[in-house]
């Protein structure tokens, strides 16, 4: 099999050991990420890198209470990469910090996610994926991260170097895709989305995943698409207040970056999507992905997904996003990666960069190369954990 266009980093063992191995393997890409965000935060939020790393420490008690032990992994990443704990923590909260200044200008939308159920895919498989749209200058920081943990499913996900979670799938057949929702209303400090996504991907079943989404104090709004191999998908529009949810229609679920299930009361009087392209990206993806139901060959389904996610209507601010020449270089968006996961076969594919220019490459690790069911516990263990 040809070498991937993106590094695949595999870690196992305890959290500190996992983190050190990850930090060492991604050292150069972590440095690139820090160089970018140190400059970008000044522009987007008026924060120096020193301010950023100091503020990030305020998340420590919230994160430790929500996902115990994960900060040891963060410390390991810092040690392995030769950076400070605060710097790695800041990389894991870059979304919250990027939007910290309420007087900052509107950000364009980001990401278009989908889930295909067996009645929406002609081959009867369950698929999910997304175009991950983010800043053009972070394209060289991306890595695939595979995490083995004692007593938990094995996770395969795509992240910015130094991050402990973003979007991907696990060996229990659960997948997560995510998009920003743009709304800035907040109820004070909350757990950064990176850690919420990691906790979702550590779950054995949909109940645990939804519990991770609903039982958390978060800082700002984001959209999560949860898909399970047993032909179930749900879209959850999460906010610091209430959440809303959507289900597939005719075997297809698509979401971009605006509220569809409800509009939060905190912004209802003057709500406008931050990135106006969200108003057509989701629609365009839905129209093209509907064609998958007529294709019985899996290769044809994958080809149609690529066609859908390569759509250039209203380019460069299209479903397949390219840098807008009118944007400042630090703000320019692009589809940094596009993913396609077959939850029926366990095949994980990724196109590094816009899918119109890059094929979906098969990752040489099946998502089911790991424990697929929860380890059995004795009655005594169950009582202790209840």
């Amino acid at each position: 099999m040809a070498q991937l266009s993106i590094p695949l980093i595999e870690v196992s063992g305890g959290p500190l050991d996992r983190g050190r191995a990850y930090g060492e393997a991604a050292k150069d890409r972590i440095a690139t990420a820090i160089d970018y965000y140190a400059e970008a935060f000044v522009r987007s939020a008026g924060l120096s890198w020193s301010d950023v790393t100091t503020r990030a420490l305020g998340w420590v008690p919230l994160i430790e209470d929500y996902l115990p032990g994960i900060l040891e992994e963060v410390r390991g990443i810092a040690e392995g990469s030769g950076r400070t704990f605060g710097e790695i923590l800041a990389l894991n909260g870059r979304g919250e910090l990027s939007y910290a200044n309420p007087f900052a200008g509107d950000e364009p939308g980001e990401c278009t996610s989908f889930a295909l159920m067996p009645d929406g895919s002609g081959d009867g498989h369950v698929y999910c994926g997304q175009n991950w749209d983010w800043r053009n200058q972070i394209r060289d920081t991306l890595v695939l991260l595979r995490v083995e943990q004692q007593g938990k499913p094995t996770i395969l996900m795509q992240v910015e170097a130094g991050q402990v979670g973003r979007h991907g799938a696990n060996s229990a057949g659960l997948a997560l895709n995510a998009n920003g929702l743009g709304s800035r209303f907040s109820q004070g400090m909350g757990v950064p989305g990176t850690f919420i996504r990691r906790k979702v991907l550590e779950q054995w079943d949909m109940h645990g995943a939804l519990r991770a989404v609903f039982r958390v104090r978060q800082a700002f709004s984001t959209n999560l698409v949860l898909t399970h191999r047993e032909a179930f998908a749900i879209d959850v529009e999460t906010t610091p207040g209430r959440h809303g949810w959507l289900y597939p229609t005719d075997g297809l679920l698509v979401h971009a970056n605006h509220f569809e299930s409800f509009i939060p009361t905190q912004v209802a009087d003057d709500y406008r999507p931050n990135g106006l392209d969200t108003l057509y990206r989701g629609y365009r993806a839905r129209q093209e992905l509907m064609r998958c139901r007529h294709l019985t060959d899996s290769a044809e389904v994958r080809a149609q997904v690529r066609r859908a996610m390569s759509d250039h209507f209203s380019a460069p601010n299209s479903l397949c996003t390219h840098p807008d020449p009118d944007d400042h270089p630090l703000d320019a968006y692009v589809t940094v990666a596009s993913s396609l996961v077959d939850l029926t076969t366990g095949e994980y594919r990724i196109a590094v960069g816009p899918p119109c220019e890059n094929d979906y490459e098969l990752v040489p690790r099946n998502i089911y190369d790991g424990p697929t069911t929860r380890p059995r516990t004795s009655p005594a263990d169950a009582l202790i954990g209840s």
Side-chain angles (χ1 to χ4, degrees):
M1 183 177 292
Q3 184 174 3
L4 284 173
S5 301
I6 181 174
L8 171 60
I9 298 172
E10 302 187 59
V11 298
S12 60
L16 195 60
D17 289 337
R18 292 196 306 267
R20 285 172 178 155
Y22 176 14
E24 290 172 4
K27 182 176 182 178
D28 291 344
R29 291 190 172 226
I30 289 172
T32 299
I34 289 174
D35 287 345
Y36 168 72
Y37 284 115
E39 186 176 2
F41 283 138
V42 173
R43 176 173 171 78
S44 65
L47 299 173
S48 70
W49 188 237
S50 176
D51 290 335
V52 167
T53 57
T54 298
R55 290 189 181 202
L57 298 177
W59 285 319
V60 166
L62 293 172
I63 296 168
E64 187 57 43
D65 182 62
Y66 175 70
L67 189 54
I70 194 64
L71 291 179
E72 277 299 287
E73 192 168 310
V74 172
R75 292 185 194 282
I77 297 169
E79 290 181 16
S81 62
R83 312 302 300 212
T84 68
F85 173 75
E87 287 180 310
I88 303 303
L89 197 55
L91 289 180
N92 281 277
R94 57 84 166 156
E96 285 78 1
L97 290 164
S98 293
Y99 305 124
N101 184 351
F103 303 107
D106 283 346
E107 294 285 336
E110 50 169 302
C111 307
T112 308
S113 299
F114 69 89
L116 274 169
M117 299 294 98
D119 54 333
S121 63
D123 63 354
H125 291 202
V126 176
Y127 294 95
C128 63
Q130 72 178 89
N131 274 9
W132 176 12
D133 304 333
W134 188 231
R135 305 296 175 80
N136 188 40
Q137 294 193 25
I138 65 93
R139 290 173 67 172
D140 290 336
T141 75
L142 306 187
V143 300
L144 279 168
L145 181 63
R146 185 174 184 272
V147 184
E148 294 183 23
Q149 301 176 90
Q150 182 77 27
K152 296 180 180 180
T154 296
I155 304 170
L156 181 61
M157 55 188 164
Q158 55 213 65
V159 300
E160 294 170 51
Q163 293 182 344
V164 297
R166 185 136 297 275
H167 46 271
N170 72 21
S171 59
L174 178 71
L176 168 69
N177 295 97
N179 339 3
L181 279 173
S183 177
R184 287 196 178 92
F185 75 87
S186 177
Q187 296 179 341
M189 288 192 70
V191 175
T194 298
F195 297 96
I196 298 172
R197 298 179 192 190
R198 172 62 176 267
K199 187 166 184 174
V200 168
L201 287 170
E202 290 188 352
Q203 304 307 308
W204 289 104
D205 53 35
M206 186 60 67
H207 184 268
L210 289 171
R211 185 170 53 208
V213 172
F214 279 80
R215 296 183 182 177
V216 61
R217 176 182 171 187
Q218 65 191 72
F220 72 113
S221 305
T222 192
N223 187 74
L224 303 175
V225 178
L226 305 176
T227 310
H228 195 275
R229 65 180 173 185
E230 294 180 13
F232 180 85
I234 183 171
D235 182 279
V236 187
E237 296 176 342
T238 77
T239 82
R242 62 157 289 192
H243 294 353
W245 46 91
L246 300 161
Y247 298 98
T249 300
D250 297 327
L252 175 62
L253 177 60
V254 176
H255 204 287
N257 304 102
H258 60 282
F259 289 100
E260 296 188 39
S261 65
F262 78 114
I263 297 177
T265 56
Q266 294 90 336
V267 298
D269 289 345
D270 58 359
Y271 175 65
R272 299 180 184 184
N274 278 359
L276 297 180
D277 49 308
T278 181
L279 297 177
Y280 52 82
R281 282 187 288 110
Y283 176 84
R284 296 286 295 188
R286 189 173 291 110
Q287 294 303 106
E288 287 300 310
L289 289 171
M290 285 173 58
R291 301 176 187 273
C292 290
R293 73 184 58 213
H294 304 297
L295 305 172
T296 57
D297 181 78
S298 296
E300 292 179 348
V301 173
R302 295 194 298 269
Q304 181 57 33
V305 170
R306 186 185 177 197
R307 280 191 288 272
M309 305 313 281
S310 298
D311 183 72
H312 284 142
F313 175 77
S314 203
N317 298 295
S318 45
L319 175 54
C320 184
T321 303
H322 295 265
D324 190 326
D326 292 335
D327 288 340
H328 187 281
L330 288 175
D331 299 336
Y333 269 57
V334 71
T335 298
V336 297
S338 183
S339 56
L340 173 58
V341 180
D342 185 336
L343 287 171
T344 300
T345 65
E347 294 173 334
Y348 195 120
R349 288 178 167 84
I350 183 168
V352 182
C356 67
E357 301 171 353
N358 304 278
D359 291 332
Y360 285 107
E361 302 175 62
L362 179 62
V363 178
R365 275 294 204 169
N366 192 286
I367 64 171
Y368 299 126
D369 290 343
T372 57
T373 57
R374 186 194 310 269
R376 292 185 178 181
T377 58
S378 67
D381 292 334
L383 288 173
I384 292 171
S386 63

